Amino acid sequence: MRGGDSPAKAPAEAAALEERLLPPPVTRSGDAGAGGGKRGGSKWEKTYLDVLGVCCSAEVALVERLLKPIDGVRSVTVVVPSRTVVVEHDPAAVSQSHIVKALNKAGLEASVRAYGSTSGGGVARWPSPYVVASGGLLLVSLLAPLLPPLRWLALAAACAGAPPMLLRALASGLALALDINALMLVAVAGAAALGDYAEAGAIVFLFTAAEWLETLACTKASAGMSTLLTMVPPRVVLAGTGEVVSVRDVEVGTVVAVRAGEVVPVDGVVVDGQSEVDESSLTGESFPVPKLPPSEVWAGTMNMDGYIAVRTTALADDSTVARMQRLVEAAQNSRSKTQRLVDSCAKYYTPGVVVLAASVALVPLLLGAKDLKRWCQLALVLLVSACPCALVLSTPVATFCALLRAARMGVLIKGGDVLESLGEIRVAAFDKTGTITKGQFSIDGFHVVGDKVEMSQLLYWVSSIESKSSHPMAAALVEYSQSKSIQPKPENVTEFRIFPGEGISGVINGRQIFIGNRRIMARSSCYTAPEMDDHRGASIGYVIVDGDLVGAFSLSDDCRTGAAEAIMELRSMGIKSVMLTGDSRAAATRAQQQLGGVLEELHYELLPADKVSLVGDLKARAGATLMVGDGMNDAPALAASDVGVSMGLSGSAAAMETSHATLMSSDILRVPAAVALGRCTRATIAANVVVSVGAKAAVLALAVAWRPLLWAAVLADVGTCLLVVLHSMLLLREPAGTGSWRRRGGPPEACRATARSLAMRSQLDGASNGGAAGGSVRREPGCRCCQKPRKPFEQEHAAVVIDIPAPSADAEHPRATAKGDATGCCGGARVACAAPTTVTSVNCAPRGCCGGKGKGDSRVSARTSCSSNGGGGAARDPPKKAGNGCNARCCSSGK
Ligand SMILES: Nc1ncnc2c1ncn2[C@@H]1O[C@H](COP(=O)(O)OP(=O)(O)OP(=O)(O)O)[C@@H](O)[C@H]1O
Ligand SMILES: [Zn+2]
């Protein structure tokens, strides 16, 4: 679905929505068909547990081995960074407390997370008695030089802190796993046997204390995860009766009451009342959004003031927030490329080092070496270093924090791999309608062509057929007809069809009607295409009835607030932006003008397949490609790109599924923010890996070159673990984004949000405005390199064909003139600026022609159609870029 700037839909869409909601009668819970029931009838329930004992991937296997064999447990998911275990089980067969007991027997410190709680349940704020006792005793033992018997207290410190370690080592031993606790205990025993009591005490204390600190550090992340997972209240109030029922028992079509201060429990449309809703939990948007019938509201958002009655449009399990939670969960468990690499190394690392440690101790012994104690200490240092804990944590914790950060700012990213790809992006391709523009058209003109039909008849046909379409143009056309007192009758339309990239058709009273762009004419066997070129850059539509052109209209749409800034921000990051649109050249150019000419390439009149091949082309010539689209005709291109980002919140089930990331709000500025977050994450992971490997290497080098220091080895082990966690958590804190426009004194976040909120309000008030468009971006951004203002886009039809010549090829390109420098850039060092866009003027390029195409390096907008193209099949062929990238018919028929 195309995300509008406001959830307030055009009347037609709202009506369609209502229609969608009305049919299912309100059957209350407890209905008989529980058998295959998706919710109420399902016996499986999910329990979220906080498990403090999960410190690295070693425990994942342990938890699985403990829980999976239990009868009634269907699936076990361990989210290491937030120390969460999600168990899907049959409550009749196995209770929550049974599961908790099973985990606690192995010393994993598990507790059930309460539904609706916002903090990670039993997170230890204070160190356990074991840590305190061990620390206290160790401290006193430091006085041993004064009073030698005190050295025994160090041994006591080791014993005092050891029980939890012992318990876990035992449990994992029973599960045939070698974990860090066991390794540490061997080291403690070894140190004690060698008479290094202080070392033994230090190992235990450092290890247990660091674990506690790590748990503390994870609290924040855990809390974030919990808020995501438990935003929705468990109970709802039915509007009619005031009855309180479980949210899982609410059927589609039920009307529920949401009072001020309450969280909306289900997705739905407002049918009564008026209020402002804080959607920040879902969209990251910090300003409340006004709601009145028939606005859409989403589960998990907060009703700030006023009462609203909401008719539900989805079951609790299918709500946007539930889908989002599933995606977040899946994302956290999907392992990225880096992580898979680290994990596969770690698999061999531990056994390898243990074998090495054993041979370092045993070989000198067998050979009768002199300095046996030193060899043994070296072996212990190796043993302590055998846990690649920090290395294993370096990727997932960073990924987790970044995903959480992204979710909080309203970007849903489907996993670590996507985050890593985001960090590599070189090109961003934007869809126009609904992505760069608002997708809210206004009609500039509507005309009868010829004298075969009357205006009222034409409007009736158009509005009736368009009522069945969800294209943004359709809403505008229906609204226009209604403003002329013509009521659409979609029920009279038969054989309704959608032609992607062309338009729609239907039959009313036996008359075949086509509505769409120039391409639909060929399909409708109408070859009398008038040259209707709108000089204000509107999209032109045609109405063809039984093969005769009877009507034409033009409509326009304005750019989203922030679109130009987003593209500028990307450019400052060295990423070039291009437009891929199904709309006309005029409309594409108009959007480019509104943006101040910031886009580097425009490709227009594209079919969905053309978008795919252009994405492939961009990938091949520029590198990793990001595609932002509204997820309908863009779906194939979204899937084909390295990172596909879908826009919008409402009804975007399909979009959420096909894309790699979803913007939960329509704020396009989140795109550069997400890319920046991806880059930040990559840098964080790299630093984590360097630190965790470096620390181990340093300790080992020290042990070989100077003396084996057991406590230093332990410190390097647990210290780097802690460091990695803390460093990764910096990702949570920073509102990710290079924020260069902020640094440059751009508008503060609050101002933009206020502007958006005001825009939404005015839309809610029904204040639709024309071309002047308060929200459109008309300012002319300056060049990033030299700060000098860009040249205005003086030529109305300028951006037809865009070449990105390689610097050396400039000479071969006579058309790359000063006039053609659309960006007016100084040509400074930055990548984005160094390749100035060149524009062929309309005079030298025939309409739609590549204008004499470059020699190999010329980049031409992929066009597939000219005014006539015979059958529909031919029009669908993806653009052939071979040679000149221009289709011959197009060149020869240029006007
Ligand atoms: N319901 C419709 N009514 C009238 N024209 C339509 C309709 N649907 C599509 N069209 C025509 O087909 C063209 C291409 O549509 P398509 O959905 O592929 O792209 P778009 O939404 O205009 O642009 P973008 O690709 O930037 O989102 C539209 O510009 C319009 O001219
Ligand atoms: Zn679109």
Tab-separated table of all heavy atoms in Angstrom, residues 507-536:
chain	number	residue	atom	x	y	z
A	507	VAL	N	-15.642	-2.915	-17.588
A	507	VAL	CA	-16.794	-2.856	-18.493
A	507	VAL	C	-17.989	-2.321	-17.711
A	507	VAL	O	-18.275	-2.781	-16.607
A	507	VAL	CB	-17.109	-4.264	-19.060
A	507	VAL	CG1	-18.407	-4.232	-19.868
A	507	VAL	CG2	-15.959	-4.761	-19.918
A	508	ILE	N	-18.642	-1.273	-18.239
A	508	ILE	CA	-19.877	-0.762	-17.639
A	508	ILE	C	-20.950	-0.753	-18.723
A	508	ILE	O	-20.751	-0.176	-19.797
A	508	ILE	CB	-19.704	0.672	-17.083
A	508	ILE	CG1	-18.584	0.712	-16.054
A	508	ILE	CG2	-21.006	1.172	-16.469
A	508	ILE	CD1	-18.352	2.080	-15.439
A	509	ASN	N	-22.059	-1.398	-18.426
A	509	ASN	CA	-23.161	-1.496	-19.385
A	509	ASN	C	-22.680	-1.933	-20.771
A	509	ASN	O	-23.039	-1.337	-21.790
A	509	ASN	CB	-23.894	-0.153	-19.524
A	509	ASN	CG	-24.566	0.225	-18.224
A	509	ASN	OD1	-24.880	-0.655	-17.411
A	509	ASN	ND2	-24.765	1.511	-18.012
A	510	GLY	N	-21.820	-2.901	-20.790
A	510	GLY	CA	-21.348	-3.458	-22.056
A	510	GLY	C	-20.308	-2.601	-22.764
A	510	GLY	O	-19.879	-2.947	-23.860
A	511	ARG	N	-19.891	-1.515	-22.189
A	511	ARG	CA	-18.905	-0.669	-22.855
A	511	ARG	C	-17.536	-0.883	-22.205
A	511	ARG	O	-17.391	-0.818	-20.983
A	511	ARG	CB	-19.312	0.794	-22.768
A	511	ARG	CG	-20.763	0.979	-23.193
A	511	ARG	CD	-21.082	2.396	-23.505
A	511	ARG	NE	-20.423	2.838	-24.715
A	511	ARG	CZ	-20.684	3.990	-25.305
A	511	ARG	NH1	-21.577	4.800	-24.812
A	511	ARG	NH2	-20.039	4.339	-26.394
A	512	GLN	N	-16.550	-1.113	-23.043
A	512	GLN	CA	-15.193	-1.399	-22.568
A	512	GLN	C	-14.451	-0.075	-22.352
A	512	GLN	O	-14.264	0.696	-23.290
A	512	GLN	CB	-14.472	-2.249	-23.622
A	512	GLN	CG	-13.014	-2.530	-23.328
A	512	GLN	CD	-12.844	-3.663	-22.320
A	512	GLN	OE1	-13.474	-4.694	-22.441
A	512	GLN	NE2	-11.997	-3.433	-21.330
A	513	ILE	N	-14.049	0.171	-21.126
A	513	ILE	CA	-13.423	1.454	-20.797
A	513	ILE	C	-11.993	1.246	-20.307
A	513	ILE	O	-11.756	0.405	-19.432
A	513	ILE	CB	-14.243	2.180	-19.708
A	513	ILE	CG1	-15.658	2.420	-20.235
A	513	ILE	CG2	-13.589	3.500	-19.315
A	513	ILE	CD1	-16.685	2.574	-19.157
A	514	PHE	N	-11.071	1.990	-20.882
A	514	PHE	CA	-9.682	1.946	-20.436
A	514	PHE	C	-9.301	3.310	-19.866
A	514	PHE	O	-9.641	4.337	-20.461
A	514	PHE	CB	-8.740	1.643	-21.608
A	514	PHE	CG	-8.773	0.210	-22.049
A	514	PHE	CD1	-9.717	-0.223	-22.977
A	514	PHE	CD2	-7.858	-0.705	-21.549
A	514	PHE	CE1	-9.739	-1.551	-23.397
A	514	PHE	CE2	-7.877	-2.026	-21.969
A	514	PHE	CZ	-8.819	-2.454	-22.885
A	515	ILE	N	-8.594	3.322	-18.747
A	515	ILE	CA	-8.098	4.585	-18.194
A	515	ILE	C	-6.618	4.386	-17.888
A	515	ILE	O	-6.252	3.398	-17.245
A	515	ILE	CB	-8.818	4.965	-16.877
A	515	ILE	CG1	-10.336	4.871	-17.059
A	515	ILE	CG2	-8.403	6.352	-16.413
A	515	ILE	CD1	-11.097	4.938	-15.747
A	516	GLY	N	-5.801	5.302	-18.332
A	516	GLY	CA	-4.379	5.130	-18.032
A	516	GLY	C	-3.530	6.089	-18.827
A	516	GLY	O	-4.019	7.095	-19.348
A	517	ASN	N	-2.254	5.752	-18.942
A	517	ASN	CA	-1.331	6.651	-19.643
A	517	ASN	C	-1.295	6.315	-21.133
A	517	ASN	O	-2.060	5.493	-21.626
A	517	ASN	CB	0.055	6.588	-19.001
A	517	ASN	CG	0.601	5.175	-18.977
A	517	ASN	OD1	0.067	4.284	-19.627
A	517	ASN	ND2	1.656	4.978	-18.219
A	518	ARG	N	-0.346	6.894	-21.813
A	518	ARG	CA	-0.216	6.723	-23.254
A	518	ARG	C	-0.164	5.243	-23.654
A	518	ARG	O	-0.655	4.842	-24.699
A	518	ARG	CB	1.081	7.416	-23.648
A	518	ARG	CG	1.375	7.490	-25.101
A	518	ARG	CD	2.690	8.221	-25.256
A	518	ARG	NE	2.525	9.630	-24.897
A	518	ARG	CZ	2.115	10.537	-25.757
A	518	ARG	NH1	1.817	10.174	-26.972
A	518	ARG	NH2	1.994	11.798	-25.413
A	519	ARG	N	0.425	4.446	-22.775
A	519	ARG	CA	0.603	3.044	-23.118
A	519	ARG	C	-0.712	2.279	-23.213
A	519	ARG	O	-0.831	1.317	-23.958
A	519	ARG	CB	1.447	2.408	-22.016
A	519	ARG	CG	2.576	1.605	-22.553
A	519	ARG	CD	3.328	0.994	-21.419
A	519	ARG	NE	4.707	1.374	-21.490
A	519	ARG	CZ	5.437	1.720	-20.461
A	519	ARG	NH1	4.896	1.756	-19.263
A	519	ARG	NH2	6.679	2.032	-20.616
A	520	ILE	N	-1.679	2.728	-22.432
A	520	ILE	CA	-2.949	1.997	-22.412
A	520	ILE	C	-3.680	2.173	-23.743
A	520	ILE	O	-4.530	1.380	-24.109
A	520	ILE	CB	-3.840	2.473	-21.237
A	520	ILE	CG1	-4.867	1.397	-20.847
A	520	ILE	CG2	-4.606	3.732	-21.587
A	520	ILE	CD1	-4.468	0.613	-19.672
A	521	MET	N	-3.307	3.221	-24.483
A	521	MET	CA	-3.957	3.473	-25.768
A	521	MET	C	-3.701	2.327	-26.726
A	521	MET	O	-4.620	1.836	-27.385
A	521	MET	CB	-3.370	4.726	-26.382
A	521	MET	CG	-3.655	5.915	-25.556
A	521	MET	SD	-4.088	7.140	-26.707
A	521	MET	CE	-4.701	8.348	-25.726
A	522	ALA	N	-2.431	1.929	-26.814
A	522	ALA	CA	-2.089	0.835	-27.708
A	522	ALA	C	-2.885	-0.396	-27.323
A	522	ALA	O	-3.423	-1.107	-28.180
A	522	ALA	CB	-0.602	0.561	-27.618
A	523	ARG	N	-2.984	-0.606	-26.033
A	523	ARG	CA	-3.710	-1.771	-25.556
A	523	ARG	C	-5.187	-1.692	-25.923
A	523	ARG	O	-5.833	-2.691	-26.222
A	523	ARG	CB	-3.544	-1.858	-24.036
A	523	ARG	CG	-4.177	-3.064	-23.418
A	523	ARG	CD	-3.920	-3.076	-21.935
A	523	ARG	NE	-2.507	-3.321	-21.632
A	523	ARG	CZ	-1.939	-4.514	-21.703
A	523	ARG	NH1	-2.636	-5.549	-22.085
A	523	ARG	NH2	-0.677	-4.661	-21.398
A	524	SER	N	-5.733	-0.486	-25.901
A	524	SER	CA	-7.166	-0.337	-26.138
A	524	SER	C	-7.458	-0.104	-27.623
A	524	SER	O	-8.538	0.333	-27.982
A	524	SER	CB	-7.697	0.828	-25.326
A	524	SER	OG	-7.052	2.012	-25.738
A	525	SER	N	-6.449	-0.363	-28.466
A	525	SER	CA	-6.563	-0.196	-29.916
A	525	SER	C	-6.968	1.220	-30.294
A	525	SER	O	-7.714	1.441	-31.231
A	525	SER	CB	-7.563	-1.179	-30.542
A	525	SER	OG	-7.684	-2.325	-29.783
A	526	CYS	N	-6.521	2.184	-29.521
A	526	CYS	CA	-6.773	3.568	-29.880
A	526	CYS	C	-5.448	4.176	-30.300
A	526	CYS	O	-4.503	4.207	-29.523
A	526	CYS	CB	-7.340	4.330	-28.688
A	526	CYS	SG	-7.377	6.103	-28.924
A	527	TYR	N	-5.358	4.585	-31.547
A	527	TYR	CA	-4.067	5.069	-32.034
A	527	TYR	C	-4.050	6.565	-32.285
A	527	TYR	O	-3.162	7.098	-32.876
A	527	TYR	CB	-3.670	4.313	-33.302
A	527	TYR	CG	-3.534	2.833	-33.028
A	527	TYR	CD1	-4.486	1.943	-33.460
A	527	TYR	CD2	-2.452	2.356	-32.288
A	527	TYR	CE1	-4.379	0.588	-33.182
A	527	TYR	CE2	-2.339	1.012	-32.003
A	527	TYR	CZ	-3.305	0.128	-32.452
A	527	TYR	OH	-3.193	-1.193	-32.165
A	528	THR	N	-5.085	7.233	-31.826
A	528	THR	CA	-5.148	8.665	-32.069
A	528	THR	C	-4.645	9.447	-30.859
A	528	THR	O	-5.337	10.260	-30.301
A	528	THR	CB	-6.586	9.094	-32.359
A	528	THR	OG1	-7.408	8.572	-31.299
A	528	THR	CG2	-7.075	8.595	-33.697
A	529	ALA	N	-3.436	9.104	-30.440
A	529	ALA	CA	-2.911	9.749	-29.237
A	529	ALA	C	-2.590	11.212	-29.505
A	529	ALA	O	-1.773	11.521	-30.349
A	529	ALA	CB	-1.653	9.038	-28.791
A	530	PRO	N	-3.257	12.108	-28.819
A	530	PRO	CA	-2.942	13.517	-29.016
A	530	PRO	C	-1.646	13.844	-28.278
A	530	PRO	O	-1.314	13.204	-27.287
A	530	PRO	CB	-4.124	14.221	-28.360
A	530	PRO	CG	-4.597	13.268	-27.303
A	530	PRO	CD	-4.247	11.891	-27.753
A	531	GLU	N	-0.927	14.799	-28.778
A	531	GLU	CA	0.296	15.204	-28.083
A	531	GLU	C	-0.073	16.147	-26.938
A	531	GLU	O	-0.066	17.351	-27.093
A	531	GLU	CB	1.241	15.915	-29.062
A	531	GLU	CG	2.288	15.011	-29.667
A	531	GLU	CD	2.951	14.056	-28.670
A	531	GLU	OE1	3.437	14.529	-27.624
A	531	GLU	OE2	2.975	12.846	-28.927
A	532	MET	N	-0.496	15.596	-25.849
A	532	MET	CA	-0.862	16.446	-24.721
A	532	MET	C	0.332	16.545	-23.806
A	532	MET	O	0.578	15.680	-22.998
A	532	MET	CB	-2.028	15.820	-23.968
A	532	MET	CG	-3.367	16.343	-24.416
A	532	MET	SD	-4.650	15.790	-23.300
A	532	MET	CE	-4.292	16.678	-21.814
A	533	ASP	N	1.103	17.567	-23.977
A	533	ASP	CA	2.271	17.672	-23.131
A	533	ASP	C	2.035	18.783	-22.137
A	533	ASP	O	1.843	19.935	-22.517
A	533	ASP	CB	3.489	17.969	-24.002
A	533	ASP	CG	4.698	17.264	-23.455
A	533	ASP	OD1	4.533	16.586	-22.421
A	533	ASP	OD2	5.776	17.383	-24.049
A	534	ASP	N	2.019	18.423	-20.896
A	534	ASP	CA	1.705	19.438	-19.911
A	534	ASP	C	2.973	20.143	-19.479
A	534	ASP	O	3.915	19.527	-19.006
A	534	ASP	CB	1.034	18.812	-18.701
A	534	ASP	CG	0.433	19.880	-17.836
A	534	ASP	OD1	1.201	20.664	-17.245
A	534	ASP	OD2	-0.796	19.941	-17.768
A	535	HIS	N	2.972	21.445	-19.674
A	535	HIS	CA	4.200	22.167	-19.402
A	535	HIS	C	4.444	22.411	-17.930
A	535	HIS	O	5.504	22.852	-17.540
A	535	HIS	CB	4.224	23.468	-20.213
A	535	HIS	CG	4.400	23.171	-21.664
A	535	HIS	ND1	5.615	23.192	-22.273
A	535	HIS	CD2	3.507	22.745	-22.597
A	535	HIS	CE1	5.473	22.829	-23.535
A	535	HIS	NE2	4.207	22.555	-23.757
A	536	ARG	N	3.444	22.120	-17.109
A	536	ARG	CA	3.701	22.237	-15.666
A	536	ARG	C	4.153	20.901	-15.083
A	536	ARG	O	4.295	20.757	-13.894
A	536	ARG	CB	2.454	22.734	-14.946
A	536	ARG	CG	2.231	24.228	-15.105
A	536	ARG	CD	0.775	24.546	-14.930
A	536	ARG	NE	-0.025	23.702	-15.813
A	536	ARG	CZ	-1.343	23.578	-15.731
A	536	ARG	NH1	-1.996	24.204	-14.805
A	536	ARG	NH2	-1.998	22.805	-16.572
